[in-house]
Amino acid sequence: MLFSSLIFIVCFLPTVLIIYYTVLRNHRKLQNVFLLIASLGFYAWGEPKFVFLLMLSIVVNWIFGLAVAHHKEHEIRSRWIIFIMVVFNLSILYVFKYLMFTIDNLNRFLGTDFTVSKIVLPIGISFFTFHAISYVIDIYRGKAQVQRNLFHVGLYIVFFPQLVAGPILRYSVIADQIMGRK
């Protein structure tokens, strides 16, 4: 769903705003759950088959965040967790954005005939991948506290106004707004 599409402007956005500001007005936890579900629905509208990849990214990076916080006193362990987290996230990005490019170039330069079925690029994969990385890095650097609530991490990563078009916001910038916005 594009921000300029009629379905977004006439249906999705007004529905979300009405429910958020009227029905759930004084219920921050319910507002957050609703925004998470609305954001996943927004993403699923354009890329239903990649919603599970997005949810996998949320869960795995939430676990990485917990692991970094748990091993904060052990610098070597923390660095290994960060290394594994970056490799995991960039591997997903590489497979969807650059694998076909790499294989095409290898075939040209080496005269080989490697084939891979066409890989469809998930909408917003760079945005949600870098949001996930920034969450764990902010915890590692001590710029933000680990979020023990999976739904809050999910909301940070998939919040629909910035999911497919950015900007990439650091977790430390908006962490307090998840439960304390006005």
Side-chain angles (χ1 to χ4, degrees):
M1 181 180 325
L2 298 174
F3 294 129
S4 60
S5 69
L6 198 57
I7 190 79
F8 179 81
I9 295 169
V10 174
C11 295
F12 182 81
L13 185 60
T15 301
V16 169
L17 291 175
I18 289 168
I19 292 171
Y20 181 87
Y21 284 111
T22 60
V23 177
L24 304 173
R25 189 173 79 207
N26 296 318
H27 304 285
R28 182 66 67 217
K29 288 181 183 178
L30 289 177
Q31 284 177 329
N32 286 345
V33 170
F34 173 69
L35 285 176
L36 176 61
I37 292 168
S39 296
L40 288 170
F42 173 83
Y43 191 81
W45 184 269
E47 293 286 357
K49 62 185 172 188
F50 292 120
V51 170
F52 293 111
L53 175 67
L54 181 57
M55 292 190 310
L56 175 70
S57 177
I58 292 166
V59 171
V60 169
N61 285 289
W62 174 67
I63 292 168
F64 279 130
L66 293 172
V68 165
H70 180 73
H71 294 287
K72 195 135 184 111
E73 303 300 319
H74 300 46
E75 185 67 23
I76 293 174
R77 288 182 192 166
S78 293
R79 286 183 184 207
W80 272 106
I81 293 167
I82 291 295
F83 176 77
I84 293 166
M85 178 274 301
V86 169
V87 168
F88 170 79
N89 283 292
L90 293 182
S91 294
I92 291 173
L93 199 59
Y94 175 80
V95 166
F96 284 100
K97 286 188 92 167
Y98 303 110
L99 181 62
M100 288 181 56
F101 172 77
T102 303
I103 290 174
D104 287 344
N105 283 314
L106 283 174
N107 286 338
R108 274 193 207 134
F109 292 124
L110 300 177
T112 57
D113 192 26
F114 297 117
T115 57
V116 66
S117 58
K118 185 164 173 56
I119 298 172
V120 177
L121 182 65
I123 295 172
I125 189 168
S126 296
F127 292 111
F128 73 75
T129 300
F130 289 118
H131 267 106
I133 290 171
S134 83
Y135 166 69
V136 182
I137 295 291
D138 279 353
I139 293 166
Y140 172 75
R141 290 183 175 165
K143 293 185 177 187
Q145 294 294 317
V146 67
Q147 181 53 256
R148 302 214 181 273
N149 188 325
L150 175 62
F151 293 126
H152 292 175
V153 174
L155 180 57
Y156 162 68
I157 292 173
V158 302
F159 188 49
F160 75 88
Q162 50 76 38
L163 176 60
V164 296
I168 298 171
L169 300 172
R170 298 200 57 95
Y171 179 71
S172 60
V173 173
I174 66 165
D176 294 336
Q177 296 179 35
I178 291 175
M179 284 306 291
R181 63 190 173 272
K182 295 179 183 174

